[in-house]
């Protein structure tokens, strides 16, 4: 599976670069320098001097995962991904941020595979203290297996925004103080990417199983940019929050971005927890669903 010029990813350190500007379409960081392989490293390899990376799923119990070495509170994380081509049913490729422990905070991009000719599902979610149930899903308006596309998560004290190729697809605003809506503010997170098997639920609710004769299933990455505020304990949380005090820069979408997001959601959104009573607690629509998210 590994060519002569590939090299298993075993160690490295994040290049810290807190920046005010939004990450563009390129993600140029080096995987050797910035990430470790933390699960099944034999199924993870970097090449092109560490600028590119592949993660492989070889069986229903053997995928792969990488993780940034340093933790952070707030910032923008970005990578370019080319998803598993062909029959990818039952596979899940991810790019997300998460804290440690059972009561984790987490911000998700998950890409649920499908049969050949059927579209992927782009799945987003937020967990706070281990509680999620804030899923929003999209069908892609492009072929995510034909080329690399940029996936970006922006996390500030004001809001979380998910971007694809620079276009916002979803925003989740911080209404914790004003309306009691849980929002991740205190637990430092790592950045993760992984590929794993989930044929019991990932494709059409588990009705379509993985064709293991097609293994290995390989997702490819091109660069990773982490423009973040490094933080590994409670003492630095307030300092990181202070770096994002500019409301106009960090706490709102531009009018153009808002139009882009609303247009994309009206056409390509296929699931929203805000209109699914099965996801509501005690039959009550979540408070944030009636509030602006931009």
């Amino acid at each position: 599976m590994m060519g002569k010029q590939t090299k298993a990813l075993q160690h490295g350190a994040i290049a810290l670069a807190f920046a005010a500007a939004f990450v563009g379409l390129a993600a140029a960081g080096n995987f050797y320098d910035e990430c470790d392989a933390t699960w099944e490293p034999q199924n993870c390899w970097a090449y092109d001097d560490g600028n590119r990376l592949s993660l492989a799923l070889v069986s229903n119990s053997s995928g792969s995962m990488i993780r940034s070495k340093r933790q952070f509170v707030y910032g923008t994380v970005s990578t370019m991904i080319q998803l598993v081509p062909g029959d990818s049913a039952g596979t899940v490729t991810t790019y997300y941020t998460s804290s440690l422990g059972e009561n984790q905070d987490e911000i998700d991009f998950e890409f649920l595979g499908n049969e050949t000719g059927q579209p992927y599902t782009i799945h987003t979610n937020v967990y706070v203290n281990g509680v999620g149930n804030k899923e929003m899903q999209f069908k892609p308006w492009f072929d995510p297996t034909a080329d690399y596309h940029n996936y970006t998560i922006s996390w500030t004290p004001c809001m979380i925004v998910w971007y694809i190729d620079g276009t916002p697809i979803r925003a989740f605003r911080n209404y914790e103080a004003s309306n009691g809506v849980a929002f991740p503010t205190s637990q430092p997170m790592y950045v993760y990417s992984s590929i794993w098997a989930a044929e019991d639920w990932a494709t059409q609710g588990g009705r379509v199983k993985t064709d293991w004769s097609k293994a290995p299933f390989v997702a490819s990455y091109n660069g990773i940019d982490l423009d973040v505020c490094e933080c590994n304990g409670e003492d630095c949380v307030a300092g990181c929050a202070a770096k994002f005090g500019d409301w106009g820069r960090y706490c709102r979408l531009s009018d153009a971005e808002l139009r882009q997001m609303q247009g994309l959601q009206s056409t390509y959104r296929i699931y929203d927890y805000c209109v699914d009573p099965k996801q509501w607690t005690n039959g009550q629509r979540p408070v944030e669903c009636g509030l602006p998210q931009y």
Side-chain angles (χ1 to χ4, degrees):
M1 188 163 58
M2 293 174 58
K4 292 181 180 179
Q5 295 183 352
T6 64
K7 180 179 180 182
L9 183 67
Q10 299 291 344
H11 55 79
I14 288 178
L16 209 347
F18 175 82
F22 170 69
V23 170
L25 297 186
N30 187 287
F31 289 102
Y32 288 153
D33 296 336
E34 297 175 350
C35 300
D36 282 344
T38 56
W39 177 50
E40 302 284 10
Q42 73 277 8
N43 298 330
C44 167
W45 65 98
Y47 47 99
D48 187 20
D49 294 325
N51 295 311
R52 295 175 184 255
L53 177 87
S54 290
L55 301 179
L57 173 63
V58 300
S59 73
N60 60 6
S61 61
S62 184
S64 191
M65 175 184 287
I66 60 170
R67 188 185 80 180
S68 61
K69 290 195 69 174
R70 299 186 188 180
Q71 296 171 286
F72 65 97
V73 172
Y74 305 128
T76 301
V77 299
S78 180
T79 193
M80 305 278 286
I81 308 175
Q82 185 173 9
L83 296 176
V84 176
D87 188 344
S88 57
T91 71
V92 179
T93 303
T94 73
Y95 182 65
Y96 65 103
T97 68
S98 181
S99 61
L100 299 178
E102 294 183 359
N103 297 320
Q104 87 280 10
D105 291 348
E106 185 172 316
I107 307 168
D108 292 341
F109 260 125
E110 294 186 334
F111 309 96
L112 314 184
N114 214 329
E115 299 172 284
T116 301
Q118 298 299 313
Y120 265 79
T121 295
I122 301 171
H123 178 98
T124 66
N125 202 359
V126 182
Y127 287 79
V128 183
N129 292 321
V131 179
N133 296 327
K134 299 185 185 300
E135 294 93 346
M136 190 177 289
Q137 296 180 340
F138 304 81
K139 63 180 180 181
W141 51 99
F142 53 91
D143 182 353
T145 73
D147 204 347
Y148 290 95
H149 291 269
N150 179 280
Y151 301 93
T152 295
I153 296 169
S154 174
W155 172 37
T156 75
C158 311
M159 64 193 305
I160 298 164
V161 186
W162 293 255
Y163 295 85
I164 298 180
D165 292 334
T167 298
I169 67 168
R170 178 186 181 183
F172 185 81
R173 181 163 289 284
N174 184 354
Y175 285 113
E176 187 163 37
S178 60
N179 296 88
V181 179
F183 188 89
T185 57
S186 61
Q187 295 194 70
M189 298 203 212
Y190 292 96
V191 182
Y192 294 83
S193 287
S194 66
I195 186 169
W196 50 286
E199 64 179 1
D200 58 331
W201 65 268
T203 303
Q204 299 178 35
R207 292 186 295 273
V208 181
K209 304 301 182 182
T210 304
D211 182 354
W212 291 106
S213 71
K214 302 293 197 302
F217 302 96
V218 179
S220 301
Y221 294 73
N222 183 2
I224 183 168
D225 278 355
L226 309 177
D227 292 339
V228 299
C229 182
E230 183 184 357
C231 182
N232 56 14
E234 294 181 2
D235 293 344
C236 50
V237 171
C240 286
K243 293 179 181 289
F244 293 86
D246 186 338
W247 176 269
R249 178 173 293 171
Y250 298 115
C251 298
R252 63 178 299 274
L253 297 177
S254 69
D255 291 342
E257 287 178 319
L258 179 58
R259 288 193 297 270
Q260 287 179 319
M261 185 178 72
Q262 291 174 332
L264 189 149
Q265 289 185 358
S266 67
T267 305
Y268 297 103
R269 184 171 59 191
I270 57 176
Y271 178 83
D272 182 356
Y273 76 104
C274 284
V275 295
D276 182 5
K278 296 189 299 295
Q279 293 292 322
W280 302 353
T281 302
N282 299 322
Q284 298 296 312
R285 187 171 184 244
V287 173
E288 68 272 16
C289 294
L291 299 171
Q293 292 300 315
Y294 46 82

